[in-house]
Amino acid sequence: MNLRRALREPTGRPRVDRTLRAVAVPLAVGLPAAVVVLWLSTTVFPYLSVNHDEGVYLQQAAMLLDGRLFLRTPFPDAFRPWFFVVDGDRMYSKYTPVPAAVFALGKLAGSYRYALAGVAAANAALVVALTRDAFDTRTGLLAGVALLGTPLFLVTSATFLPYAPTTMLNLAFAAAYVRAVRLDDHRWAALAGCFVGLAFFARPYTAVLFVVPFAAHALLELARARPADRSLRNPSSLFGSPTFRRIAGRYAVVSALGLAWVGVTLAYNWHVTGSPLRFPYAAFAPHDGLGFGRRELLGYERNYTPLLALRANARVLWSFAARWTVAAPLGTLLAAAGLGAFVSRSRAARSGPGTTGRPGLSDLELRAVFAGLLLSFVAGNVYFWGNLNVLAELDNPGDGFIALFGPFYHFDLLLPLSAFAASGAVALASRARRLVRARLDRSQARAVLLALLLVAAPVVAVAEQRAVSRPVAANADLSEKHAAAYQPFERRDLSNALVFVPTPYGVWLNHPFQALRNDPSLHGDVVYAQNRDAAGDFRIVDAYDDRKLYRYTYRGRWSPAADATVTPALQRLRVREGERVRVTTTVGIPDDTRGVNVRLEAGDRVATYSLTRTGDDRATLTWVVTPDGARVVDAVGANLTETGRARVPVDGAERVSLAVTVVQPGGSTFTYRQEASMLAANGTVRTLWPPEERLCRLTVHCGREGTYLPGETTLDGTFVNATVETDP
C-alpha cells in the first residue's frame, strides 16, 4: 500500500497501528540485511579487502573521532597513508569526510562494522519503502528480497567504501521527497534538502546523477501548476496561483537546504585545499575525475576518449547484467520485464483519462523517476573514467575490481533494478495465474501453478548461488592470504612499539597493509612507519626513542592475487652504537662451489673480494664499519683476497650491504645479502640490528622474494647468520 492510499484509507484503524505497519514492512527486510552484511564483513573481510580505499576511510574516521581533519607530523614521508595529500607538515585524505563520519558512528556504537550493518539495513528498508510508494506493499517486500539477493549490494555493503553510505543518503532524500510532495509538507522538504546536500558532500557527482530525475519531476510539477492565462500586464499571474506558490515554496525549502550543504562542501574545500572550488581529490591528482581527454592518477595515464568511455561502460553494464543482479541474469530479465510493463502502462495512461495533469507525484510518475535513474546513471557514468579503471583489462569484465566488488559506481541503480525486478516478477506471476485459471478449474490451476513454482525455485536458487558464491569465494581466498600475512601481529604484545613496514607498492602506509593503521596522533600504542633509507629510519628512531623497535618483513611477492602468498616475520630491532661496529657473518658454502665473490656496498660505492674455501661447508666473514668507512677484515674457513677497492666510505647515514655470491657448476649463482642501516657521525657508528637478510639466485640485488627467515632452508647447504659487536 503506497502513501497516498494510506492517506485515503478509513480512519477506523488506529493511527499507531498504521504507523507500526508502515515501519514493520521495511524493517522486515532491513534487519536481515544488517545481519547478513555484518556476517560477511566479519567472515569474508576480517582484514579488509584488496581495495585499499577502505583503510583511507577508516583512517579518516579515526581522525574525525579524535577531532582532526589533518594528520600532523614533521615526517610526512614516513607516515603518509594511502591516498593522503601532503601539505607541509599536515596530511589530509583525498576523500570528503561524510562516509568516514558514517563509519565513525559505528565505532561510537562499539565497532566500525556496526556502521556497515546499519547502512545496509537503512538501504534495504528505504528500497522497500520507496518501491511500496511506487507500487504496493507486496512489490515493496519483493524488491527488498531482490536487493538481499543482489551480489553487488551484499559485497559492497560489507566493505568500508563510500558507495553504500552515499546511496543511503540518496535514498533518504528520495523517501523524504516523496513524502514532501504527497503530503505537501515543508518539514519533509527540509529533510530532503539536508539529505541531498549531505549526499553531495559525500560524492558530488553521484548526488547530481541521482537528483536529476527528481529535479525533472519538480520542474514538471511547477509547470503543471502554472496558470494557463499569464500576462505581462498582470505580473502576479506570472507566479501563478496560491497552489503554485505553495509548491514553489516547498521546492525552495529543498533547494535552500541542499545548497546550504553545498556551501558546507565548498567551505570544507577552502579549509583543506585553500580554494572552495578545489576538491581534495583534485589536490591529490589534478587530472583525475570527470571528463574526456588526458586522465591520470599516480603515473597511470590514459586518453579517455568518448569511444573508449562507451566501450568501458558497455563492459561494466554487461558485467552488471550478467553477474551482479539477483540470481543473475534472471534478475536482469525480471527488471526488463518490469520496465516493459511500466512503459506499456505509461502509454495507456497517456492515451486515456488520468491524473497526470495534476500537481503531485502519482505512482506512475514515481516509477518514471526510477526509470530516470537508470538513464541518468548509465549516461552520466560514461563521463567518469573510473568505470574504465574497475576493469583490469578492457575486454575482460571478469577481472579487476569489478570481479571482486561489482560495478560499484552504479550502486544507486539497485533501487530501480530491485523495484522493477519485483514488479516484473509480480506481473509475470499474475499473467501466469490468469492464463492457467482461464483454461483450468481451480484445483487444476493450483496444481499447475505449484508445479511451475517447484520447477522455477531450483533454477532461481542455482542462479543465485552462482551469482553470490563467485565474488564471496574470491574475496574469502584473499582474506586467507591476509590472515597469514598478519599472523605475526596476532602473536606479539606490541605495546609502546615502533614498527617499520615495507613499501611494496611505493611510499605509502596502508597500501597494502590496511590493518596497520596509526592512531591520528601518531603516538598511539603502536606506531607504524615506512621502512625507507637509513637517514629516514634513524630520524624516526630518534623521534620515538622510548619505544621498542620492530621490523615487519616477508618473503615472497605481494600482489592482489590470492595465490601470491607471503611468509611473514616480525623482527625485534635494537640500536647498537660504538666507535666501531664489528659484524661476523657466517654463510653455508656447498661442496660443489666453484668460487665465491664478496661485495661490500655503501650507497653506490663498492669494495670487492674473492674467497677460496679452505675449511668445511661454511665461511665466516668479519666486516667492520667505522666513521672512516667499511671493509671486510677477516675470513675463517676461506682465504680472502682483495679484488678491487678494499674500503668503502660511509657518508653519514647509509645502507651498508654485504653480498656473498656463490658460483656453482654451470655458472649458476646464488647470493647471500645482508643490508643494515648505519649512521656514522660524531666519531661513532650506530646500526639497526639485525640487518635485512636475503638469499636469491642469479643476481646480487635480491628482492623481497629472497627474504631469508631464520631457521628456514630454501637451497640445499645454505644458511646465514650474523652477530654484531660494538666498541665503546
Side-chain angles (χ1 to χ4, degrees):
M1 179 179 296
N2 65 30
L3 187 61
R4 292 189 304 108
R5 294 194 186 100
L7 294 174
R8 290 199 303 265
E9 71 179 14
T11 58
R13 183 184 299 275
R15 182 183 181 89
V16 66
D17 288 351
R18 297 198 304 273
T19 303
L20 287 175
R21 187 171 64 172
V23 172
V25 171
L27 285 181
V29 177
L31 291 179
V35 172
V36 172
V37 166
L38 185 61
W39 177 79
L40 284 173
S41 174
T42 54
T43 58
V44 179
F45 302 106
Y47 294 97
L48 307 181
S49 69
V50 296
N51 189 329
H52 300 154
D53 284 13
E54 287 194 89
V56 182
Y57 284 105
L58 289 177
Q59 182 71 73
Q60 197 173 11
M63 292 163 60
L64 294 176
L65 290 172
D66 206 38
R68 302 170 186 264
L69 293 177
F70 304 100
L71 296 174
R72 295 185 181 272
T73 174
F75 313 108
D77 52 342
F79 295 112
R80 185 184 189 182
W82 174 237
F83 274 178
F84 267 60
V85 180
V86 174
D87 182 11
D89 67 346
R90 66 177 196 167
M91 299 179 287
Y92 59 89
S93 169
K94 66 172 281 192
Y95 297 123
T96 63
V98 176
V102 173
F103 301 143
L105 293 176
K107 183 63 174 178
L108 289 176
S111 170
Y112 287 119
R113 297 186 190 274
Y114 293 163
L116 302 180
V119 169
N123 280 331
L126 287 165
V127 165
V128 172
L130 285 163
T131 306
R132 180 180 60 186
D133 291 342
F135 296 92
D136 52 38
T137 299
R138 176 181 57 177
T139 308
L141 280 171
L142 280 176
V145 172
L147 184 72
L148 277 178
T150 302
L152 176 63
F153 171 75
L154 294 173
V155 174
T156 303
S157 295
T159 57
F160 293 98
L161 297 172
Y163 313 107
T166 304
T167 296
M168 177 184 69
L169 296 172
N170 283 330
L171 294 179
F173 154 73
Y177 180 94
V178 171
R179 280 143 187 80
V181 173
R182 289 183 172 177
L183 298 174
D184 196 17
D185 191 326
H186 283 46
R187 292 169 297 182
W188 283 108
L191 280 175
C194 286
F195 283 128
V196 74
L198 272 170
F200 181 88
F201 195 1
R203 290 182 62 80
Y205 191 57
T206 300
V208 169
L209 295 181
F210 193 91
V211 84
V212 163
F214 293 90
H217 168 264
L219 293 173
L220 177 64
E221 187 184 11
L222 287 170
R224 290 191 306 226
R226 293 285 293 274
D229 182 20
R230 296 189 295 273
S231 172
L232 291 175
R233 289 175 295 181
N234 183 12
S236 63
S237 69
L238 295 175
F239 300 98
S241 63
T243 299
F244 176 83
R245 290 193 292 271
R246 188 182 69 251
I247 294 172
R250 183 206 312 144
Y251 289 125
V253 171
V254 176
S255 301
L257 271 296
L259 290 174
W261 277 103
V262 171
V264 172
T265 305
L266 300 181
Y268 175 80
N269 293 346
W270 198 351
H271 179 64
V272 171
T273 70
S275 170
L277 299 179
R278 189 185 190 205
F279 286 80
Y281 77 86
F284 183 86
H287 296 287
D288 190 16
L290 301 172
F292 300 116
R294 177 174 169 254
R295 302 284 93 198
E296 187 269 334
L297 177 63
L298 295 178
Y300 171 68
E301 183 176 342
R302 295 296 294 269
N303 182 23
Y304 190 61
T305 64
L307 179 60
L308 178 59
L310 289 172
R311 289 180 59 204
N313 277 266
R315 292 288 182 181
V316 169
L317 292 173
W318 173 256
S319 178
F320 199 167
R323 296 170 178 258
W324 289 95
T325 58
V326 57
L330 297 179
T332 304
L333 297 175
L334 286 174
L339 191 60
F342 156 72
V343 172
S344 176
R345 185 167 179 180
S346 297
R347 289 174 178 171
R350 284 199 302 270
S351 62
T355 61
T356 58
R358 298 181 320 195
L361 181 62
S362 68
D363 294 356
L364 206 57
E365 288 170 343
L366 184 53
R367 297 172 203 176
V369 170
F370 290 176
L373 289 173
L374 291 170
L375 293 175
S376 65
F377 273 91
V378 169
N381 270 288
V382 173
Y383 199 56
F384 176 49
W385 83 306
N387 287 285
L388 171 64
N389 296 335
V390 300
L391 299 165
E393 298 179 12
L394 181 60
D395 295 330
N396 185 6
D399 197 8
F401 274 166
I402 198 170
L404 296 172
F405 308 103
F408 42 76
Y409 292 123
H410 292 80
F411 194 84
D412 289 78
L413 291 186
L414 291 176
L415 168 62
L417 288 175
S418 299
F420 284 122
S423 68
V426 170
L428 290 175
S430 298
R431 184 176 181 83
R433 187 167 57 248
R434 287 195 302 270
L435 288 174
V436 170
R437 287 180 175 176
R439 291 167 172 77
L440 303 172
D441 61 35
R442 179 172 295 183
S443 61
Q444 291 174 327
R446 191 173 298 167
V448 170
L449 290 173
L450 180 60
L452 289 174
L453 181 62
L454 291 176
V455 170
V459 174
V460 174
V462 169
E464 176 66 7
Q465 189 273 337
R466 289 185 60 190
V468 173
S469 64
R470 191 160 35 197
V472 168
N475 281 292
D477 289 344
L478 290 166
S479 290
E480 289 185 10
K481 165 190 165 181
H482 295 159
Y486 292 122
Q487 191 62 36
F489 294 93
E490 304 290 341
R491 302 193 300 259
R492 299 291 285 267
D493 176 14
L494 294 179
S495 57
N496 196 40
L498 170 65
V499 181
F500 289 102
V501 297
T503 55
Y505 292 164
V507 287
W508 309 98
L509 284 178
N510 319 134
H511 181 55
F513 306 110
Q514 295 190 88
L516 309 182
R517 297 188 306 277
N518 279 315
D519 180 272
S521 67
L522 300 180
H523 286 279
D525 199 29
V526 184
V527 173
Y528 301 100
Q530 298 177 49
N531 190 13
R532 300 166 299 136
D533 59 11
D537 288 350
F538 277 111
R539 281 196 294 268
I540 299 303
V541 168
D542 291 340
Y544 293 88
D545 59 353
D546 61 337
R547 290 178 176 261
K548 293 180 289 185
L549 305 178
Y550 295 88
R551 177 194 295 122
Y552 176 57
T553 188
Y554 59 85
R555 184 180 67 246
R557 184 176 65 88
W558 191 283
S559 84
D563 58 355
T565 57
V566 299
T567 304
L570 190 62
Q571 299 172 331
R572 180 74 163 91
L573 298 179
R574 289 175 173 81
V575 177
R576 303 296 298 270
E577 182 175 3
E579 294 180 0
R580 181 175 64 169
V581 171
R582 183 183 183 92
V583 181
T584 302
T585 299
T586 301
V587 297
I589 307 294
D591 290 339
D592 59 354
T593 295
R594 295 292 184 263
V596 180
N597 300 315
V598 178
R599 291 166 58 94
L600 189 61
E601 305 172 10
D604 59 357
R605 301 170 297 278
V606 180
T608 58
Y609 315 83
S610 67
L611 291 180
T612 302
R613 191 175 64 174
T614 60
D616 51 16
D617 59 353
R618 66 191 60 201
T620 299
L621 299 173
T622 301
W623 48 290
V624 174
V625 182
T626 70
D628 295 329
R631 66 174 298 167
V632 177
V633 297
D634 192 16
V636 176
N639 291 326
L640 177 69
T641 304
E642 298 174 2
T643 58
R645 177 189 292 176
R647 178 190 298 271
V648 291
V650 178
D651 185 13
E654 296 273 14
R655 292 274 192 173
V656 179
S657 304
L658 177 74
V660 180
T661 300
V662 178
V663 181
Q664 296 183 290
S668 64
T669 66
F670 67 86
T671 297
Y672 301 99
R673 187 176 184 89
Q674 292 181 313
E675 186 171 277
S677 293
M678 300 279 184
L679 175 59
N682 302 320
T684 63
V685 178
R686 303 168 69 195
T687 184
L688 284 177
W689 192 263
E692 296 184 67
E693 295 178 327
R694 306 275 194 268
L695 175 58
C696 57
R697 290 183 178 273
L698 303 177
T699 179
V700 297
H701 299 289
C702 301
R704 194 162 297 280
E705 292 85 348
T707 297
Y708 180 81
L709 303 177
E712 294 189 346
T713 300
T714 56
L715 298 172
D716 290 341
T718 62
F719 68 90
V720 58
N721 58 57
T723 60
V724 64
E725 298 176 355
T726 56
D727 295 338

